Amino acid sequence: EKGGYDYFMLKEIAEQPKAVADTLLGRIDASGTLSLDEVRIPASVLREVDKVVVVACGTAYHAGLIAKLAIEHWTRIPCETELASEFRYRDPILDQRTLVVAISQSGETMDTLMALRHAREQGAKVLAICNTNGSTIPRESDAVLYTHAGPEVAVASTKAFLTQLVACYLVALYLGQVRGTKWGDEIRAVIRELSEAEAAVERVLETMEPVRALARSLAEKNTVLFLGRHVGYPVALEGALKLKELAYMHAEGFAAGELKHGPIALIEQDLPVVVVVPSPRGRSVLHDKIVSNIQEIRARGARTIVIAEEGDEAVVPYADHLVRIPVTPTLLQPLVATVPLQVFACELATARGNEVDQPRNLAKSVTVE
Ligand code: F6R
């Protein structure tokens, strides 16, 4: 059942190109237009939406943080992403024009379910992004966009996360398409790029051997830090979460711009720091700022593990370890940047003798608060 792999997690990491392709299947037509007929919320209602709130937990929450950037960029609708467990206890302001997006692999997470019930009581429309057919969260939502990752058995989420990202992009692009924003040309270009994501993820998977070797060499470390900005920040959070769950190591993700506001005090000789570098095209200001961050932490002794686009030469002098990812549009970068972090955490867990598919103290589906 593990299809020749030692762990379900390895199998599920390898299945990601197909999971991404399956989640796109039938949703982009030949002319490059999105058709999400299954989203039964009428276009007239979607045109009236004046606020989007994304609620989720754990890894799904990280997908939601990326959704916020995509939704605000492509639709210009204000969007907040919140941990479901915080949202439901703070008396959030919602009404009929709020679209709540609830993201859940299992469809049974109690915190997310309670958040969506709360939202519907306030009159908001709820769209679920879910991987499990007929589970509670989609049943209680107004509409559902299913991810087609197939069953995810390993407790740590991998392929479900990538398909959640795809679904979030589809929702953001669809809202943009329905509402006809000024980003029309960009939206069409990104839809084309999205349909090539399968190949990009495949390419990353083919180059993971050095990442595995690096992970094994760090098995005795106690701490790993992760830095990112913009879409790279949720990717850093996700990389840190995978490492906590699987390797039981102290791992933290930071927004790189926050370094000077505190975290830089943690940098010491030989501390591994993973840096997710944004594309040098697009938001090039952010790229340059991150390159300065890498210089700063390296000058203080950090061992820099740099995840950067193919062709980004500016990072080369400051990278102790360089992991290349394919060139993608800025907002789609998490689809390729997350994969090395999953492989890294899985290999470190194995090197430390941990149970990869069943980490201690964790359950696959958290149906209690
Ligand atoms: C992390 C992980 C958890 C889940 C979280 C939400 O690898 O698996 O953080 O992402 O418990 O679960 P779902 O998506 O089923 O609501």
Side-chain angles (χ1 to χ4, degrees), residues 169-197:
Y169 296 135
L170 289 174
V171 168
L173 293 165
Y174 184 66
L175 281 173
Q177 183 180 289
V178 165
R179 296 163 65 100
T181 63
K182 63 173 176 158
W183 305 108
D185 286 346
E186 184 182 327
I187 287 176
R188 276 185 292 280
V190 170
I191 291 173
R192 262 197 314 279
E193 295 270 358
L194 198 51
S195 53
E196 282 157 25

Side-chain angles (χ1 to χ4, degrees), residues 57-60 103-107 109 155-157 164 241-242 245 366:
C57 304
T59 287
I103 310 174
S104 175
Q105 188 285 128
S106 63
T109 299
V155 165
S157 189
Q164 284 162 355
L241 179 62
K242 289 281 100 83
E245 284 182 286
V366 185

